[in-house]
mmCIF file with all atom_site columns, all heavy atoms in Angstrom:
data_model
loop_
_atom_site.group_PDB
_atom_site.id
_atom_site.type_symbol
_atom_site.label_atom_id
_atom_site.label_alt_id
_atom_site.label_comp_id
_atom_site.label_asym_id
_atom_site.label_entity_id
_atom_site.label_seq_id
_atom_site.pdbx_PDB_ins_code
_atom_site.Cartn_x
_atom_site.Cartn_y
_atom_site.Cartn_z
_atom_site.occupancy
_atom_site.B_iso_or_equiv
_atom_site.pdbx_formal_charge
_atom_site.auth_seq_id
_atom_site.auth_comp_id
_atom_site.auth_asym_id
_atom_site.auth_atom_id
_atom_site.pdbx_PDB_model_num
ATOM 1  N N   . GLY A 1 29  ? -55.363 58.209 21.479 1.00 0.00 ? 56  GLY A N   1
ATOM 2  C CA  . GLY A 1 29  ? -56.315 57.590 22.379 1.00 0.00 ? 56  GLY A CA  1
ATOM 3  C C   . GLY A 1 29  ? -57.698 57.481 21.804 1.00 0.00 ? 56  GLY A C   1
ATOM 4  O O   . GLY A 1 29  ? -58.044 58.114 20.824 1.00 0.00 ? 56  GLY A O   1
ATOM 5  N N   . ASN A 1 51  ? -38.149 55.988 13.070 1.00 0.00 ? 78  ASN A N   1
ATOM 6  C CA  . ASN A 1 51  ? -37.066 55.913 14.041 1.00 0.00 ? 78  ASN A CA  1
ATOM 7  C C   . ASN A 1 51  ? -36.161 54.723 13.761 1.00 0.00 ? 78  ASN A C   1
ATOM 8  O O   . ASN A 1 51  ? -35.727 54.038 14.676 1.00 0.00 ? 78  ASN A O   1
ATOM 9  C CB  . ASN A 1 51  ? -37.668 55.788 15.446 1.00 0.00 ? 78  ASN A CB  1
ATOM 10 C CG  . ASN A 1 51  ? -36.955 56.681 16.441 1.00 0.00 ? 78  ASN A CG  1
ATOM 11 O OD1 . ASN A 1 51  ? -36.058 57.420 16.079 1.00 0.00 ? 78  ASN A OD1 1
ATOM 12 N ND2 . ASN A 1 51  ? -37.363 56.603 17.693 1.00 0.00 ? 78  ASN A ND2 1
ATOM 13 N N   . VAL A 1 177 ? -57.236 42.451 48.301 1.00 0.00 ? 204 VAL A N   1
ATOM 14 C CA  . VAL A 1 177 ? -58.661 42.324 48.026 1.00 0.00 ? 204 VAL A CA  1
ATOM 15 C C   . VAL A 1 177 ? -58.819 41.318 46.898 1.00 0.00 ? 204 VAL A C   1
ATOM 16 O O   . VAL A 1 177 ? -57.923 41.182 46.047 1.00 0.00 ? 204 VAL A O   1
ATOM 17 C CB  . VAL A 1 177 ? -59.277 43.699 47.647 1.00 0.00 ? 204 VAL A CB  1
ATOM 18 C CG1 . VAL A 1 177 ? -58.643 44.248 46.378 1.00 0.00 ? 204 VAL A CG1 1
ATOM 19 C CG2 . VAL A 1 177 ? -60.780 43.610 47.512 1.00 0.00 ? 204 VAL A CG2 1
ATOM 20 N N   . LEU A 1 247 ? -35.444 37.357 44.762 1.00 0.00 ? 274 LEU A N   1
ATOM 21 C CA  . LEU A 1 247 ? -35.900 38.737 44.784 1.00 0.00 ? 274 LEU A CA  1
ATOM 22 C C   . LEU A 1 247 ? -34.738 39.637 44.401 1.00 0.00 ? 274 LEU A C   1
ATOM 23 O O   . LEU A 1 247 ? -33.632 39.484 44.922 1.00 0.00 ? 274 LEU A O   1
ATOM 24 C CB  . LEU A 1 247 ? -36.405 39.114 46.177 1.00 0.00 ? 274 LEU A CB  1
ATOM 25 C CG  . LEU A 1 247 ? -37.501 38.230 46.772 1.00 0.00 ? 274 LEU A CG  1
ATOM 26 C CD1 . LEU A 1 247 ? -37.722 38.588 48.240 1.00 0.00 ? 274 LEU A CD1 1
ATOM 27 C CD2 . LEU A 1 247 ? -38.791 38.361 45.983 1.00 0.00 ? 274 LEU A CD2 1
#
Side-chain angles (χ1 to χ4, degrees):
N78 224 3
V204 62
L274 305 170

